[in-house]
Amino acid sequence: MAIHDSHHGHAHAPLKFPKGFLWGTATSAHQVEGGNDYNDWWAWEEGAGHVKNDDMSGKAADHYNRFREDFGIAKKMGSRLHRLSIEWSRIEKEPGKFDRAALKHYHEVFDALRKKNIKIMLTLHHFTNPLWFTERGGWMSRRAPHYFARFVKKMAREYGKKIDFWITINEPNVYAANGFLRGVWPPQKKSIFAYLRVIHNLARAHRRAYRIIHASQKNAQVGIAHNVFSIESYQWWKLSSFLKMKLLNHVWNHHFFSLSRGTHDFIGINYYFHTRIRKSGLFSIKTIDAREEHREGSDLGWEIYPLGIFQAIMNMRQYNLPLYITENGVAAENDDRRCRFLVAHIKEVYHAIQAKADVRGYCYWSLIDNFEWDKGFTPRFGLVEIDYSHDYARRPRPSAHVYARICKENGIHHDLLRFMGHGASTKDLP
Ligand code: BGC
């Protein structure tokens, strides 16, 4: 790596982030807590063949009981921000009735983080719904925003003072596409009309939630976590190709924002995907699976494309709002890959900041291994390994140490850059 070689040997990180940059990690309730048996995902997992290997979330990572230990690890890593979600179905098991024990539990969770001086980014909806809500039509129903608003009102009153950032809805585009268009998640609908209806209802719900939270906390910071992909076309010089890229970009990256203008205090970016359009006829778009070109991918086959996070950030810059990377991570059994992934992606975030993007924080997905929806427990996203067969023991991986250095040094030190450039193994780390 030829970057800043003149600084070689300096104690300070050559790629320094702005002062106060919030380094953090992320999780979501259903994926880590365990025992969420009142939601639609739990019910769906019971169906044969729905989840890979017929895995069931079950105890997940047992985070419901071990959150203190997990936050202890995050703190030790130098994390200053933690993104987590609250499980609606635990709190409102029956419509309109709020469960005291569950409410108390989340007070304890937030207090544990605050005591450690870790800022809290709370997601109110992360893919799961109470069973009673889906029985009343779920997100297809016109009443959905009304039910969600009742829950949000309670959350804002109950926890308002403790929360630093609110994420109303996680990835409306992914939720609607997987559940209502591709049919791979509950309720397994496959209809463009269902997809559009759900996106509209989610946008209505977000707008109401935004107002409710602001009514109770004037200075609240409210936004969404949005799945943003980067796009390239192999025939970019063709007008048809350009128009298709523009269309895809609108549908995936911007549609939700166009339905919810003026109700975002910041933008949360979840970056995982780079899309390559091989060919684009008048009515068709052919994308490439990176494996066809023998590119490096994650264990799920998703291409590892660090430049994409730079492009996603520059794309979202147009809203002139503060930006947070609310998720970025890789499924990798091979932790060397995760180490390289971290350095390479965070380096691109650094470059985006140099290009004047107002990025204020970064959350790695995920703090701990967890239940990866329809893919079950096989994909390993954690900086910390969960040993499911040995009492859910927590074992920080070498990547947790690499990330800890980045958090503590507020940037990427020379030796980490060199390590990445040489593609060496973590064993060579100084
Ligand atoms: C979701 C997470 C998920 C991650 C990896 C994001 O789309 O918000 O829940 O685990 O991607 O697939």
Side-chain angles (χ1 to χ4, degrees):
M1 283 273 137
I3 301 154
H4 294 220
D5 250 354
S6 55
H7 289 194
H8 184 89
H10 278 208
H12 299 296
L15 302 193
K16 266 280 190 206
F17 277 65
K19 216 171 149 229
F21 189 83
L22 291 174
W23 297 102
T25 48
T27 60
S28 90
H30 188 71
Q31 294 178 272
V32 296
E33 284 183 349
N36 282 323
D37 52 353
Y38 274 81
N39 73 29
D40 55 345
W41 262 87
W42 182 282
W44 191 72
E45 289 159 24
E46 288 173 336
H50 285 174
V51 177
K52 187 143 187 248
N53 305 324
D54 284 332
D55 282 352
M56 291 193 52
S57 57
K59 283 178 81 172
D62 198 24
H63 179 73
Y64 197 78
N65 297 308
R66 298 174 200 231
F67 64 89
R68 288 198 175 81
E69 185 183 348
D70 295 337
F71 298 159
I73 298 172
K75 177 72 189 174
K76 241 175 127 181
M77 233 153 51
S79 182
R80 304 182 51 210
L81 172 69
H82 186 61
R83 176 173 172 229
L84 76 173
S85 77
I86 204 159
E87 178 61 34
W88 183 6
S89 65
R90 269 188 199 278
I91 292 185
E92 199 179 346
K93 277 201 174 110
E94 290 171 54
K97 288 196 185 138
F98 298 97
D99 186 283
R100 281 191 161 279
L103 288 170
K104 184 164 164 275
H105 170 82
Y106 287 109
H107 271 296
E108 288 168 8
V109 168
F110 302 144
D111 292 345
L113 284 166
R114 287 168 65 84
K115 242 176 141 173
K116 292 192 160 26
N117 233 334
I118 297 177
K119 287 195 190 297
I120 302 169
M121 187 178 264
L122 181 66
T123 312
L124 295 169
H125 186 271
H126 198 124
F127 299 158
T128 59
N129 304 293
L131 280 172
W132 61 261
F133 174 83
T134 32
E135 277 155 18
R136 285 167 165 72
W139 287 102
M140 289 285 283
S141 162
R142 283 199 59 219
R143 300 279 293 160
H146 160 77
Y147 295 130
F148 187 63
R150 182 171 62 193
F151 166 65
V152 175
K153 203 173 267 170
K154 178 74 182 165
M155 295 303 93
R157 285 208 186 126
E158 189 77 28
Y159 302 121
K161 292 200 176 70
K162 299 188 177 178
I163 305 304
D164 300 282
F165 302 94
W166 300 83
I167 302 280
T168 56
I169 292 160
N170 178 67
E171 299 188 342
N173 52 359
V174 169
Y175 176 73
N178 284 351
F180 300 85
L181 185 64
R182 300 177 59 221
V184 293
W185 284 2
Q188 291 193 284
K189 294 220 173 346
K190 283 189 188 180
S191 141
I192 182 81
F193 301 107
Y195 168 83
L196 289 171
R197 197 181 164 106
V198 167
I199 286 278
H200 274 261
N201 281 338
L202 288 167
R204 286 172 56 216
H206 165 79
R207 295 196 306 256
R208 277 181 77 165
Y210 180 89
R211 286 188 197 107
I212 290 168
I213 298 167
H214 272 280
S216 112
Q217 299 288 316
K218 242 179 81 208
N219 299 321
Q221 290 290 304
V222 186
I224 63 163
H226 195 47
N227 185 296
V228 181
F229 61 30
S230 54
I231 314 171
E232 80 177 271
S233 162
Y234 286 1
Q235 298 178 319
W236 53 267
W237 57 86
K238 284 192 181 164
L239 183 63
S240 64
S241 188
F242 168 76
L243 291 174
K244 292 234 164 104
M245 273 169 71
K246 220 172 144 57
L247 180 71
L248 262 188
N249 183 41
H250 177 77
V251 170
W252 193 255
N253 293 333
H254 296 286
H255 183 209
F256 192 84
F257 292 112
S258 68
L259 300 173
S260 55
R261 262 180 228 294
T263 55
H264 298 267
D265 299 314
F266 64 88
I267 291 190
I269 299 173
N270 292 0
Y271 170 71
Y272 292 96
F273 302 117
H274 180 60
T275 309
R276 296 169 181 274
I277 304 171
R278 185 205 323 244
K279 223 174 146 185
S280 152
L282 209 48
F283 297 107
S284 67
I285 298 180
K286 270 210 167 105
T287 58
I288 287 184
D289 180 328
R291 284 171 286 199
E292 282 176 48
E293 295 177 354
H294 299 198
R295 294 180 185 280
E296 187 183 10
S298 75
D299 293 352
L300 291 170
W302 304 352
E303 179 177 354
I304 295 179
Y305 187 73
L307 188 59
I309 197 168
F310 175 88
Q311 292 164 343
I313 293 168
M314 297 318 269
N315 190 343
M316 291 298 126
R317 243 192 101 189
Q318 57 187 279
Y319 295 106
N320 282 320
L321 289 168
L323 304 171
Y324 292 86
I325 305 303
T326 36
E327 281 182 43
N328 174 228
V330 64
E333 191 82 51
N334 172 349
D335 193 57
D336 286 348
R337 176 166 285 158
R338 184 175 354 266
C339 293
R340 287 198 299 275
F341 178 99
L342 269 170
V343 175
H345 284 73
I346 291 172
K347 183 168 171 285
E348 289 301 332
V349 176
Y350 170 85
H351 294 311
I353 294 172
Q354 304 317 301
K356 305 275 181 289
D358 185 12
V359 188
R360 301 191 183 176
Y362 173 94
C363 293
Y364 178 79
W365 180 276
S366 166
L367 174 61
I368 52 180
D369 284 340
N370 58 54
F371 179 75
E372 176 56 25
W373 307 113
D374 57 320
K375 313 281 189 329
F377 286 108
T378 312
R380 299 287 190 147
F381 275 93
L383 292 169
V384 178
E385 179 195 348
I386 302 291
D387 190 340
Y388 297 106
S389 52
H390 285 98
D391 195 31
Y392 297 83
R394 272 67 178 143
R395 299 203 184 94
R397 297 189 162 105
S399 54
H401 298 290
V402 167
Y403 191 52
R405 285 202 46 195
I406 294 175
C407 299
K408 289 177 187 159
E409 292 167 2
N410 194 28
I412 314 178
H413 196 278
H414 240 307
D415 49 13
L416 286 180
L417 286 174
R418 247 180 298 141
F419 147 73
M420 184 188 80
H422 294 155
S425 123
T426 41
K427 290 196 295 292
D428 302 329
L429 271 176

